Short mmCIF file of all heavy atoms in Angstrom, two decimals:
data_model
loop_
_atom_site.label_atom_id
_atom_site.label_comp_id
_atom_site.label_asym_id
_atom_site.label_seq_id
_atom_site.Cartn_x
_atom_site.Cartn_y
_atom_site.Cartn_z
N SER A 1 24.51 16.46 -1.02
CA SER A 1 25.43 17.44 -0.63
C SER A 1 26.72 17.29 -1.61
O SER A 1 27.56 18.14 -1.53
CB SER A 1 25.99 16.94 0.81
OG SER A 1 26.49 15.62 0.67
N GLY A 2 26.66 16.32 -2.49
CA GLY A 2 27.74 16.21 -3.42
C GLY A 2 27.18 15.65 -4.68
O GLY A 2 25.99 15.57 -4.90
N SER A 3 28.11 15.54 -5.70
CA SER A 3 27.66 14.98 -7.01
C SER A 3 27.09 13.59 -6.93
O SER A 3 27.71 12.72 -6.40
CB SER A 3 28.85 14.99 -7.92
OG SER A 3 28.57 14.61 -9.10
N ILE A 4 25.97 13.42 -7.56
CA ILE A 4 25.34 12.11 -7.64
C ILE A 4 25.01 11.74 -9.06
O ILE A 4 24.27 10.87 -9.37
CB ILE A 4 23.90 12.04 -6.88
CG1 ILE A 4 23.02 13.26 -7.26
CG2 ILE A 4 24.27 12.19 -5.33
CD1 ILE A 4 21.66 13.11 -6.77
N PHE A 5 25.71 12.34 -9.98
CA PHE A 5 25.54 12.10 -11.49
C PHE A 5 25.67 10.61 -11.81
O PHE A 5 25.06 10.12 -12.71
CB PHE A 5 26.40 12.97 -12.27
CG PHE A 5 27.75 12.51 -12.50
CD1 PHE A 5 28.09 11.73 -13.61
CD2 PHE A 5 28.79 12.81 -11.58
CE1 PHE A 5 29.37 11.25 -13.75
CE2 PHE A 5 30.08 12.39 -11.77
CZ PHE A 5 30.42 11.57 -12.78
N SER A 6 26.58 10.02 -11.06
CA SER A 6 26.82 8.51 -11.39
C SER A 6 26.11 7.47 -10.54
O SER A 6 26.18 6.33 -10.72
CB SER A 6 28.37 8.28 -11.16
OG SER A 6 28.61 8.30 -9.77
N PHE A 7 25.10 8.06 -9.81
CA PHE A 7 24.31 7.23 -8.88
C PHE A 7 22.87 7.10 -9.48
O PHE A 7 22.28 8.05 -10.18
CB PHE A 7 24.13 7.91 -7.54
CG PHE A 7 25.36 7.75 -6.60
CD1 PHE A 7 26.45 8.67 -6.96
CD2 PHE A 7 25.51 6.88 -5.65
CE1 PHE A 7 27.57 8.51 -6.17
CE2 PHE A 7 26.57 6.69 -4.89
CZ PHE A 7 27.55 7.63 -5.06
N SER A 8 22.27 6.04 -9.20
CA SER A 8 20.80 5.84 -9.44
C SER A 8 20.09 6.44 -8.13
O SER A 8 20.58 6.37 -7.10
CB SER A 8 20.36 4.50 -9.67
OG SER A 8 20.93 3.95 -10.86
N VAL A 9 18.86 6.83 -8.36
CA VAL A 9 18.09 7.47 -7.28
C VAL A 9 16.73 6.86 -7.26
O VAL A 9 16.07 6.80 -8.31
CB VAL A 9 18.05 8.95 -7.40
CG1 VAL A 9 17.32 9.62 -6.07
CG2 VAL A 9 19.41 9.54 -7.45
N ASP A 10 16.27 6.50 -6.06
CA ASP A 10 14.83 6.03 -5.91
C ASP A 10 14.12 7.09 -4.92
O ASP A 10 14.65 7.71 -4.17
CB ASP A 10 14.82 4.75 -5.20
CG ASP A 10 15.70 3.74 -5.72
OD1 ASP A 10 15.76 3.50 -6.97
OD2 ASP A 10 16.44 3.01 -4.97
N TRP A 11 12.78 7.08 -5.15
CA TRP A 11 11.93 7.51 -4.27
C TRP A 11 11.14 6.50 -3.60
O TRP A 11 10.55 5.64 -4.44
CB TRP A 11 10.94 8.60 -4.87
CG TRP A 11 11.50 9.98 -5.06
CD1 TRP A 11 11.99 10.53 -6.16
CD2 TRP A 11 11.67 10.99 -4.04
NE1 TRP A 11 12.47 11.75 -6.01
CE2 TRP A 11 12.21 12.17 -4.64
CE3 TRP A 11 11.25 11.15 -2.65
CZ2 TRP A 11 12.47 13.40 -3.99
CZ3 TRP A 11 11.49 12.36 -2.04
CH2 TRP A 11 12.19 13.41 -2.70
N TYR A 12 11.02 6.39 -2.34
CA TYR A 12 10.18 5.50 -1.60
C TYR A 12 9.21 6.30 -0.86
O TYR A 12 9.36 7.45 -0.50
CB TYR A 12 11.04 4.66 -0.66
CG TYR A 12 11.79 3.45 -1.16
CD1 TYR A 12 13.01 3.79 -1.85
CD2 TYR A 12 11.36 2.23 -1.08
CE1 TYR A 12 13.76 2.61 -2.39
CE2 TYR A 12 12.10 1.14 -1.68
CZ TYR A 12 13.28 1.40 -2.30
OH TYR A 12 13.99 0.31 -2.84
N ARG A 13 8.19 5.52 -0.34
CA ARG A 13 7.27 6.07 0.59
C ARG A 13 6.86 5.13 1.70
O ARG A 13 6.91 3.89 1.46
CB ARG A 13 6.03 6.79 -0.08
CG ARG A 13 5.09 5.69 -0.66
CD ARG A 13 3.93 6.42 -1.29
NE ARG A 13 2.92 5.40 -1.80
CZ ARG A 13 1.87 5.77 -2.46
NH1 ARG A 13 1.66 7.05 -2.86
NH2 ARG A 13 0.92 4.87 -2.80
N GLN A 14 6.53 5.67 2.88
CA GLN A 14 6.09 4.72 3.96
C GLN A 14 4.88 5.36 4.54
O GLN A 14 4.94 6.46 5.17
CB GLN A 14 7.12 4.49 4.98
CG GLN A 14 6.80 3.47 5.99
CD GLN A 14 8.00 2.97 6.79
OE1 GLN A 14 9.04 3.63 6.76
NE2 GLN A 14 7.83 1.83 7.34
N ALA A 15 3.73 4.78 4.52
CA ALA A 15 2.51 5.19 5.05
C ALA A 15 2.42 4.65 6.49
O ALA A 15 3.11 3.58 6.83
CB ALA A 15 1.33 4.77 4.30
N PRO A 16 1.66 5.28 7.44
CA PRO A 16 1.55 4.77 8.78
C PRO A 16 1.10 3.41 8.82
O PRO A 16 0.19 2.95 8.18
CB PRO A 16 0.50 5.70 9.37
CG PRO A 16 0.61 6.98 8.57
CD PRO A 16 0.87 6.56 7.11
N GLY A 17 1.87 2.55 9.58
CA GLY A 17 1.57 1.12 9.78
C GLY A 17 1.86 0.21 8.55
O GLY A 17 1.38 -0.96 8.62
N LYS A 18 2.50 0.74 7.51
CA LYS A 18 2.74 -0.03 6.35
C LYS A 18 4.34 0.00 6.09
O LYS A 18 5.02 0.71 6.55
CB LYS A 18 2.03 0.69 5.13
CG LYS A 18 0.53 0.47 5.18
CD LYS A 18 -0.02 0.90 3.98
CE LYS A 18 -1.67 0.75 4.01
NZ LYS A 18 -2.26 1.16 2.69
N GLN A 19 4.72 -0.98 5.25
CA GLN A 19 6.01 -1.12 4.78
C GLN A 19 6.41 0.03 3.90
O GLN A 19 5.60 0.49 3.10
CB GLN A 19 6.32 -2.56 4.28
CG GLN A 19 6.24 -3.68 5.23
CD GLN A 19 6.73 -4.96 4.68
OE1 GLN A 19 6.49 -5.15 3.46
NE2 GLN A 19 7.37 -5.87 5.41
N ARG A 20 7.75 0.31 3.91
CA ARG A 20 8.23 1.19 2.91
C ARG A 20 8.08 0.58 1.46
O ARG A 20 8.43 -0.49 1.39
CB ARG A 20 9.66 1.60 3.18
CG ARG A 20 10.24 2.73 2.49
CD ARG A 20 11.56 3.20 3.08
NE ARG A 20 11.52 3.67 4.44
CZ ARG A 20 12.52 4.23 5.10
NH1 ARG A 20 13.71 4.46 4.42
NH2 ARG A 20 12.42 4.59 6.32
N GLU A 21 7.70 1.38 0.58
CA GLU A 21 7.49 0.87 -0.80
C GLU A 21 8.11 1.76 -1.80
O GLU A 21 8.22 3.02 -1.63
CB GLU A 21 5.98 0.73 -1.16
CG GLU A 21 5.17 1.94 -1.21
CD GLU A 21 3.79 1.83 -1.60
OE1 GLU A 21 3.40 0.81 -2.23
OE2 GLU A 21 2.92 2.71 -1.35
N LEU A 22 8.58 1.13 -2.90
CA LEU A 22 9.26 1.92 -3.96
C LEU A 22 8.18 2.63 -4.79
O LEU A 22 7.21 2.05 -5.17
CB LEU A 22 10.06 0.97 -4.86
CG LEU A 22 10.75 1.58 -6.12
CD1 LEU A 22 11.87 2.54 -5.61
CD2 LEU A 22 11.29 0.43 -6.97
N VAL A 23 8.49 3.87 -5.04
CA VAL A 23 7.64 4.74 -5.85
C VAL A 23 8.09 4.78 -7.34
O VAL A 23 7.48 4.50 -8.30
CB VAL A 23 7.50 6.06 -5.41
CG1 VAL A 23 6.68 7.00 -6.30
CG2 VAL A 23 6.85 6.15 -3.99
N ALA A 24 9.47 5.17 -7.36
CA ALA A 24 10.02 5.37 -8.76
C ALA A 24 11.57 5.37 -8.65
O ALA A 24 12.25 5.67 -7.51
CB ALA A 24 9.48 6.60 -9.40
N THR A 25 12.29 5.06 -9.78
CA THR A 25 13.67 5.05 -9.85
C THR A 25 14.11 5.85 -11.06
O THR A 25 13.43 5.70 -12.10
CB THR A 25 14.21 3.65 -9.90
OG1 THR A 25 13.84 3.00 -8.75
CG2 THR A 25 15.74 3.63 -10.09
N ILE A 26 15.19 6.54 -10.95
CA ILE A 26 15.81 7.18 -12.10
C ILE A 26 17.32 6.75 -12.21
O ILE A 26 18.02 6.91 -11.06
CB ILE A 26 15.61 8.73 -12.22
CG1 ILE A 26 16.20 9.20 -13.54
CG2 ILE A 26 16.28 9.38 -11.02
CD1 ILE A 26 15.64 10.61 -13.81
N SER A 27 17.75 6.21 -13.30
CA SER A 27 19.08 5.78 -13.35
C SER A 27 20.10 6.99 -13.64
O SER A 27 19.70 8.14 -13.88
CB SER A 27 19.20 4.77 -14.54
OG SER A 27 19.17 5.39 -15.67
N ASN A 28 21.38 6.62 -13.56
CA ASN A 28 22.36 7.62 -13.82
C ASN A 28 22.30 8.10 -15.20
O ASN A 28 22.69 9.33 -15.57
CB ASN A 28 23.71 7.24 -13.53
CG ASN A 28 24.23 5.95 -14.17
OD1 ASN A 28 23.44 5.32 -14.97
ND2 ASN A 28 25.42 5.48 -13.98
N GLY A 29 21.78 7.22 -16.08
CA GLY A 29 21.55 7.73 -17.61
C GLY A 29 20.23 8.35 -17.85
O GLY A 29 19.98 8.80 -19.02
N GLY A 30 19.34 8.49 -16.75
CA GLY A 30 18.07 9.10 -16.99
C GLY A 30 16.93 8.27 -17.22
O GLY A 30 15.75 8.66 -17.45
N GLY A 31 17.21 6.93 -17.32
CA GLY A 31 16.11 5.99 -17.53
C GLY A 31 15.18 5.93 -16.19
O GLY A 31 15.69 6.07 -15.16
N THR A 32 13.90 5.79 -16.48
CA THR A 32 12.98 5.75 -15.30
C THR A 32 12.19 4.50 -15.23
O THR A 32 11.91 3.79 -16.19
CB THR A 32 12.03 6.89 -15.41
OG1 THR A 32 11.33 6.80 -16.62
CG2 THR A 32 12.71 8.28 -15.37
N TYR A 33 11.84 4.14 -13.96
CA TYR A 33 11.02 3.10 -13.69
C TYR A 33 9.99 3.47 -12.59
O TYR A 33 10.28 4.19 -11.65
CB TYR A 33 11.90 1.88 -13.16
CG TYR A 33 11.02 0.80 -12.50
CD1 TYR A 33 10.32 -0.18 -13.28
CD2 TYR A 33 10.82 0.81 -11.09
CE1 TYR A 33 9.57 -1.12 -12.61
CE2 TYR A 33 9.98 -0.15 -10.49
CZ TYR A 33 9.40 -1.10 -11.20
OH TYR A 33 8.57 -2.08 -10.62
N TYR A 34 8.73 2.97 -12.83
CA TYR A 34 7.71 3.30 -11.81
C TYR A 34 7.06 2.04 -11.32
O TYR A 34 6.78 1.18 -12.16
CB TYR A 34 6.66 4.20 -12.42
CG TYR A 34 7.16 5.59 -12.90
CD1 TYR A 34 7.70 5.79 -14.14
CD2 TYR A 34 7.17 6.67 -12.05
CE1 TYR A 34 8.16 6.94 -14.64
CE2 TYR A 34 7.67 7.92 -12.41
CZ TYR A 34 8.24 8.01 -13.67
OH TYR A 34 8.69 9.17 -14.06
N ALA A 35 6.77 2.01 -10.03
CA ALA A 35 5.94 0.87 -9.51
C ALA A 35 4.72 0.92 -10.22
O ALA A 35 4.18 1.96 -10.55
CB ALA A 35 5.92 1.05 -8.06
N ARG A 36 4.16 -0.25 -10.44
CA ARG A 36 2.96 -0.37 -11.30
C ARG A 36 1.76 0.53 -10.83
O ARG A 36 1.18 1.17 -11.55
CB ARG A 36 2.41 -1.83 -11.31
CG ARG A 36 1.17 -2.02 -12.15
CD ARG A 36 0.87 -3.52 -12.22
NE ARG A 36 1.87 -4.34 -12.86
CZ ARG A 36 1.74 -5.65 -13.04
NH1 ARG A 36 0.76 -6.24 -12.58
NH2 ARG A 36 2.81 -6.31 -13.56
N SER A 37 1.60 0.58 -9.45
CA SER A 37 0.53 1.37 -8.88
C SER A 37 0.77 2.91 -9.00
O SER A 37 -0.14 3.62 -8.68
CB SER A 37 0.22 0.95 -7.47
OG SER A 37 1.38 1.17 -6.68
N MET A 38 2.08 3.24 -9.29
CA MET A 38 2.41 4.69 -9.30
C MET A 38 2.40 5.29 -10.74
O MET A 38 2.56 6.49 -10.82
CB MET A 38 3.77 4.87 -8.62
CG MET A 38 3.94 4.17 -7.46
SD MET A 38 2.95 4.78 -6.07
CE MET A 38 3.48 3.66 -4.75
N LYS A 39 2.14 4.47 -11.77
CA LYS A 39 2.29 4.90 -13.08
C LYS A 39 1.14 5.92 -13.39
O LYS A 39 0.12 5.72 -12.96
CB LYS A 39 2.19 3.87 -14.05
CG LYS A 39 3.51 2.89 -14.13
CD LYS A 39 3.44 1.84 -15.18
CE LYS A 39 4.68 1.12 -15.27
NZ LYS A 39 4.66 -0.01 -16.28
N GLY A 40 1.61 7.06 -14.04
CA GLY A 40 0.53 7.90 -14.52
C GLY A 40 0.52 9.16 -13.65
O GLY A 40 0.09 10.29 -14.21
N ARG A 41 0.61 9.13 -12.38
CA ARG A 41 0.50 10.40 -11.53
C ARG A 41 1.80 10.85 -10.93
O ARG A 41 1.90 11.88 -10.45
CB ARG A 41 -0.44 10.11 -10.36
CG ARG A 41 -1.81 9.70 -10.78
CD ARG A 41 -2.77 9.68 -9.59
NE ARG A 41 -2.39 8.72 -8.66
CZ ARG A 41 -2.00 8.88 -7.28
NH1 ARG A 41 -1.95 10.14 -6.94
NH2 ARG A 41 -1.72 7.88 -6.62
#
């Protein structure tokens, strides 16, 4: 709803019956990180 240029942003996912897990992160500078099992896709 507002500017998030100075924020880092994650995507998480939660499958039925499982804990929420980190998928990927992008920093305010554009650097990215992927959970090991998420790399490539």
Side-chain angles (χ1 to χ4, degrees):
S1 60
S3 176
I4 55 169
F5 79 93
S6 64
F7 288 77
S8 293
V9 184
D10 310 315
W11 280 98
Y12 280 80
R13 70 182 186 183
Q14 187 166 19
K18 295 188 177 181
Q19 289 188 329
R20 192 171 295 190
E21 63 176 343
L22 178 66
V23 175
T25 298
I26 188 164
S27 72
N28 56 359
T32 59
Y33 165 83
Y34 297 91
R36 181 176 296 181
S37 62
M38 311 297 176
K39 287 184 178 180
R41 297 189 298 118

